[in-house]
């Protein structure tokens, strides 16, 4: 093999596909019996490139914005190659506030987007109810983000897996990699999500998220936009299914779904959209976001070992960042020039110390 990709989530699969398209012989090694059972399965699928909290991280913001722009073409290419629709919905997002504190936060989010030249519309709660009539009458303020859309992560995994196998990527499920040196491959891509830290020096930690898949037995229509609010978000799939997420917990690899976690998600969401309490619960989920110290992903060749390419640490934006990450990994593997230097691993992994001069 030219390339062994460790991890069969969205990042590993997308990177493998793009590497194969450049003519490399690629295998994906996934320890689970199925692909995409890690964070990729648990994700909401929002394509939300700007969060006020991350504005200090220019490298992340630039990559997020570029990846959001690329998603329509990426989705179309996947559909073309595989026949699988990844559920890209140009639904837009409403960011809503219940009280004065939340309204201040929403105003800051609006300012951040305006400074970046992005489209954003401020409206009172009453105006928000005209476009989403099921919103609670008590809402104070909202901003509409007409360019923040969503995809369905489960379908993205399915489409990427199909694209990989059609392109001739070898998919090896049930293979846990413990020793990178033992892999019979020229290069190794570490795309093991929240578990990547066990395979080298890049500091990746799991950030637990609990969420719910909900279904409206009476069909679609409760809301059409993605709704974001303090404490969570609701992503409509357009067919009566909804994703309600997500807690953010520093609890290691604790998989428990807790009464408190689920209660808080439903309580917050029902204050925004009371009708949510009529929905059926299809599934409660836990996932582990691959977090890094600066919340930005780590993509590129290891400065101490050129054989290793990192593609991890995508934290809350791994679905969004799929298109850009895949190309950056492929570029690192083929030696092509690429942008986004600020995402490289050398910010965490020091370059090799120069050899001491021999007297
Ligand atoms: C609740 C929640 C909501 C989210 N919402 C969004 C969202 O709306 N938008 C967005 O862009 N992102 C979102 N994310 C983030 C996104 O899910 C992740 O950033 C992304 O899925 C990371 O993909 P990955 O392929 O790196 O990791 P994963 O999907 O976790 O895949 C890693 C894979 O590596 C495998 N593996 C690990 N170790 C080994 C080993 N040693 N050998 C072989 N295989 C191994 C694992 O089994 C796993 O399948 C969310 C995450 C969570 C948890």
């Amino acid at each position: 093999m030219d390339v062994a990709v460790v991890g069969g989530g969205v990042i590993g699969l997308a990177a493998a596909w793009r590497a194969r398209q450049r003519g490399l012989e690629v295998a994906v090694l996934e320890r689970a019996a199925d692909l995409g059972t890690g964070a990729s399965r648990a994700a909401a699928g929002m394509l939300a490139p700007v969060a006020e909290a991350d504005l200090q991280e220019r490298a992340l913001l630039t990559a997020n914005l570029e990846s959001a722009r690329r998603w329509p073409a990426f989705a179309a290419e996947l559909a073309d190659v595989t026949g699988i629709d990844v559920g890209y919905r140009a639904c837009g997002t409403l960011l809503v506030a219940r009280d004065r504190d939340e309204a201040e936060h929403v105003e800051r989010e609006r300012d951040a987007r305006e400074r970046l030249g992005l489209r954003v519309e401020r409206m009172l709660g009453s105006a928000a109810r005209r476009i989403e009539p099921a919103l609670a009458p008590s809402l104070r303020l909202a901003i509409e983000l007409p360019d923040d859309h969503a995809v369905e992560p489960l379908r993205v995994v399915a489409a990427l897996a199909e694209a990989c196998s059609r392109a001739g990527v070898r998919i090896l499920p049930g293979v846990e990699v413990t020793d990178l040196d033992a892999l019979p491959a020229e290069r190794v891509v570490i795309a093991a999500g929240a578990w990547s830290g066990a395979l080298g020096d890049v500091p990746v930690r799991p950030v637990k998220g609990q969420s719910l898949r909900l279904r409206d037995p009476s069909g679609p229509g409760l809301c059409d936009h993605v709704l974001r609010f303090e404490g969570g978000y609701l992503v409509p799939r357009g067919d009566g299914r909804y994703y309600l997420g997500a807690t953010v917990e520093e609890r290691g690899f604790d998989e428990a779904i807790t009464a408190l976690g689920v209660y808080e998600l439903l309580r917050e969401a029902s204050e925004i959209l009371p009708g949510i309490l009529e929905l059926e619960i299809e599934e409660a989920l836990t996932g582990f976001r691959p977090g890094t110290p600066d919340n930005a992903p780590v993509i590129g060749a290891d400065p101490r070992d050129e054989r290793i390419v990192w593609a991890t640490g995508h934290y809350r934006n791994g679905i969004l960042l799929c298109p850009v990450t895949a190309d950056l990994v492929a570029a690192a593997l083929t030696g092509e020039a690429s942008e986004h230097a600020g995402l490289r691993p050398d910010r965490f992994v020091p370059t090799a110390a120069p050899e001491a001069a021999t007297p």
Side-chain angles (χ1 to χ4, degrees):
M1 282 291 134
D2 295 318
V3 183
V5 177
V6 184
V10 288
I11 297 298
L13 290 171
W17 180 40
R18 288 298 193 221
R20 180 73 196 113
Q21 285 177 325
R22 285 170 169 75
L24 298 171
E25 292 290 330
V26 185
V28 174
L29 296 84
E30 166 54 55
R31 69 172 170 205
D34 295 311
L35 297 167
T37 57
S40 302
R41 179 177 189 283
M46 289 180 295
L47 307 177
V50 181
E52 194 232 348
D54 292 335
L55 278 187
Q56 311 309 325
E57 201 46 62
R58 294 304 296 187
L60 175 64
L61 182 65
T62 310
N64 280 354
L65 288 167
E66 182 181 336
S67 223
R69 276 194 298 274
R70 286 214 215 157
W71 251 106
F74 192 69
E77 186 182 351
L78 278 171
D80 211 32
V81 169
T82 67
I84 298 175
D85 170 5
V86 298
Y88 181 91
R89 287 188 70 235
C91 52
T93 295
L94 277 181
L95 199 55
V96 298
R98 284 164 282 194
D99 55 29
R100 186 198 293 221
D101 282 355
E102 290 181 13
E104 278 173 15
H105 170 74
V106 164
E107 296 280 18
R108 285 199 304 276
E109 293 277 353
R110 180 182 65 126
D111 288 348
R113 284 170 180 80
E114 283 185 342
R115 279 200 304 278
L116 292 164
L118 300 173
R119 292 200 296 162
V120 48
E121 191 184 337
R122 179 186 188 278
M123 59 186 80
L124 295 176
S126 49
R129 285 191 76 207
R130 280 199 283 279
I131 54 175
E132 286 294 357
L135 285 172
S138 54
L139 286 187
R140 191 177 172 115
L141 187 72
I143 55 173
E144 186 179 14
L145 313 172
D147 300 314
D148 280 17
H149 304 314
V151 291
E152 280 198 45
L154 292 177
R155 292 187 185 202
V156 175
V157 169
L160 286 170
E162 180 66 22
C164 279
S165 71
R166 286 192 188 205
V169 173
R170 285 179 62 193
I171 306 275
L172 303 171
V175 179
E176 175 157 12
V177 175
T178 49
D179 180 2
L180 301 181
D181 291 334
L183 292 175
E186 293 280 312
R187 310 289 297 276
V188 175
V189 175
I190 301 180
W195 298 269
S196 301
L199 295 168
D201 290 333
V202 165
V204 182
R205 70 182 197 287
V207 182
K208 176 180 172 180
Q210 301 184 51
S211 60
L212 293 172
R213 293 195 208 283
L214 304 168
R215 196 178 73 86
D216 191 338
S218 60
L222 181 62
C223 80
D224 190 48
H225 289 71
V226 172
L227 299 180
R228 286 171 53 193
F229 44 91
E230 184 75 28
Y233 47 81
L234 185 74
V235 183
R237 300 298 185 206
D239 58 358
R241 290 175 304 124
Y242 297 84
Y243 176 107
L244 173 61
T247 65
V248 181
E249 302 170 68
E250 298 279 355
R251 298 180 62 87
F253 288 107
D254 165 22
E255 292 187 355
I257 292 166
T258 64
L260 180 63
V262 170
Y263 166 71
E264 284 185 347
L265 288 175
L266 286 169
R267 188 196 58 207
E268 301 284 336
S270 63
E271 284 184 21
I272 305 292
L273 195 74
I276 201 167
L277 296 178
E278 307 288 325
L279 305 186
E280 293 173 359
I281 295 180
E282 279 195 329
E283 190 181 5
L285 303 151
T286 318
F288 300 107
R289 308 170 183 90
T292 61
D294 60 9
N295 296 337
V298 180
I299 308 168
D302 187 297
R304 286 193 291 209
D305 183 354
E306 277 287 316
R307 180 171 174 256
I308 309 291
V309 173
W310 291 92
T312 188
H314 290 76
Y315 192 39
R316 308 181 79 149
N317 294 307
I319 307 296
L320 168 66
L321 283 169
C322 235
V324 158
T325 303
D327 281 340
L328 288 176
V329 172
L333 291 169
T334 53
E336 293 162 35
S338 67
E339 294 170 8
H340 303 289
L343 302 179
R344 285 186 196 140
D346 52 10
R347 69 191 199 277
F348 298 125
V349 182
T351 39
E355 298 278 318
T358 38

